[in-house]
Amino acid sequence: MPRIDADLKLDFKDVLLRPKRSSLKSRSEVDLECTFTFRNSKQTYSGIPIIVANMDTVGTFEMAAVMSQHIAVSSGSGQNDLEKMTSILEALPQVKFICLDVANGYSEHFVEFVKLVRAKFPEHTIMAGNVVTGEMVEELILSGADIIKVGVGPGSVCTTRTKTGVGYPQLSAVIECADSAHGLKGHIISDGGCTCPGDVAKAFGAGADFVMLGGMFSGHTECAGEVIERNGQKLKLFYGMSSDTAMKKHAGGVAEYRASEGKTVEVPYKGDVENTILDILGGLRSTCTYVGAAKLKELSRRATFIRVTQQHNPVFS
Ligand code: 5GP
């Protein structure tokens, strides 16, 4: 008989962070930089842990230059993928991150693949996903992954939930997966579902070590594609990595590793990404001030979520 798990599972929109007494005088006192040492690779990372999604339109070199972060090598889990990745990593010894990215991180084949990559690259930091439950986070970490990507179906241009009926509310997924990962000294990325700076703060509050954003970074100057002018409006194209647009562009390569399709949308042109980044970082600093966290790393320890029926006043939205 099918089982119904009646435990309450929540999304970012279902909660707010409760303000707490704080000795911080101003948001400029908040330190957003985090330092992590990864469990299996033993490599160390320092930086503000916000990552641009590995998608055609937003994951561009121009974006990376602004984010001034490192571009991990990303791979599916087939034999060809392994050969291709090996040749790239041999050619580019400075690349220290490997991202093993499949839509469904639950297959036994994927676990075996993570073990294979760990054996071949003992000192690279391996990110693996996507999953949404603690037991799978533990299995992937014990198989050699350092950072687990969490999120099935929350993405802005993702149609997994409507196509397959599969998914997990992102806030609960992050809380549960962070708990499992941290118990083993592993790390997680909350991947997808953030719609505003407040959601990024909630993801960190829920225990995410890194937050990955696609839609929030779309539509900027640094994104791929031209600005489209229509009816006096400036727009830019943004599409999911398994949308028709991506499929055509990559001639089937994407279809193999993404189970379900994505959307292609036109989003308002938002100017330079610098402004959006400052908006997100300003929001995060304020969140930390409201809950009394002097460092971003302390945010989850200071976070109490309250369940709400309305996040914001919609009169003028
Ligand atoms: P967003 O920040 O836009 O809500 O979510 C970004 C995440 O959506 C990406 O990092 C990736 O995990 C996921 N994603 C990107 N393209 C697709 C797609 O075509 N299909 C699905 N199912 N997920 C996608």
Side-chain angles (χ1 to χ4, degrees), residues 27-184:
R27 56 187 215 165
S28 63
E29 286 176 42
V30 174
D31 182 6
L32 295 182
E33 198 157 307
C34 297
T35 299
F36 303 123
T37 299
F38 299 117
R39 178 190 197 268
N40 294 315
S41 70
K42 311 285 183 236
Q43 302 271 356
T44 299
Y45 160 94
S46 280
I48 299 176
I50 294 178
I51 310 176
V52 181
N54 169 23
M55 299 166 76
D56 281 356
T57 44
V58 292
T60 61
F61 283 105
E62 292 83 352
M63 188 69 88
V66 180
M67 299 291 288
S68 60
Q69 58 162 43
H70 304 287
I71 317 174
V73 169
S74 186
S75 170
S77 63
Q79 182 58 32
N80 290 345
D81 293 324
L82 183 62
E83 282 163 17
K84 193 167 143 200
M85 181 172 70
T86 305
S87 58
I88 294 174
L89 290 173
E90 279 169 3
L92 296 170
Q94 71 273 26
V95 174
K96 291 284 179 233
F97 283 84
I98 299 173
C99 180
L100 302 179
D101 191 12
V102 293
N104 172 10
Y106 281 80
S107 76
E108 277 178 29
H109 165 74
F110 185 60
V111 173
E112 291 310 311
F113 188 71
V114 172
K115 288 184 189 161
L116 204 69
V117 176
R118 171 52 70 210
K120 222 172 152 77
F121 300 101
E123 288 170 12
H124 279 71
T125 298
I126 299 177
M127 308 180 203
N130 280 23
V131 301
V132 281
T133 50
E135 88 285 356
M136 207 59 204
V137 167
E138 285 165 9
E139 185 157 354
L140 289 172
I141 290 175
L142 294 173
S143 301
D146 296 289
I147 312 172
I148 308 301
K149 266 170 83 211
V150 174
V152 171
S156 58
V157 282
C158 163
T159 54
T160 298
R161 292 182 185 176
T162 45
K163 288 265 167 182
T164 67
V166 176
Y168 209 98
Q170 186 68 359
L171 179 91
S172 293
V174 170
I175 292 175
E176 293 167 28
C177 291
D179 189 52
S180 298
H182 296 162
L184 291 171

Side-chain angles (χ1 to χ4, degrees), residues 53-55 101 103 130 149 151 153-160 191-195 212-216 238-243 258 260-263:
N54 169 23
M55 299 166 76
D101 191 12
N130 280 23
K149 266 170 83 211
S156 58
V157 282
C158 163
T159 54
T160 298
D191 178 18
C194 288
T195 61
M212 183 174 264
L213 306 173
M216 281 179 67
F238 177 55
Y239 53 83
M241 286 311 288
S242 46
S243 62
R258 283 280 186 199
S260 42
E261 293 184 4
K263 296 177 207 169

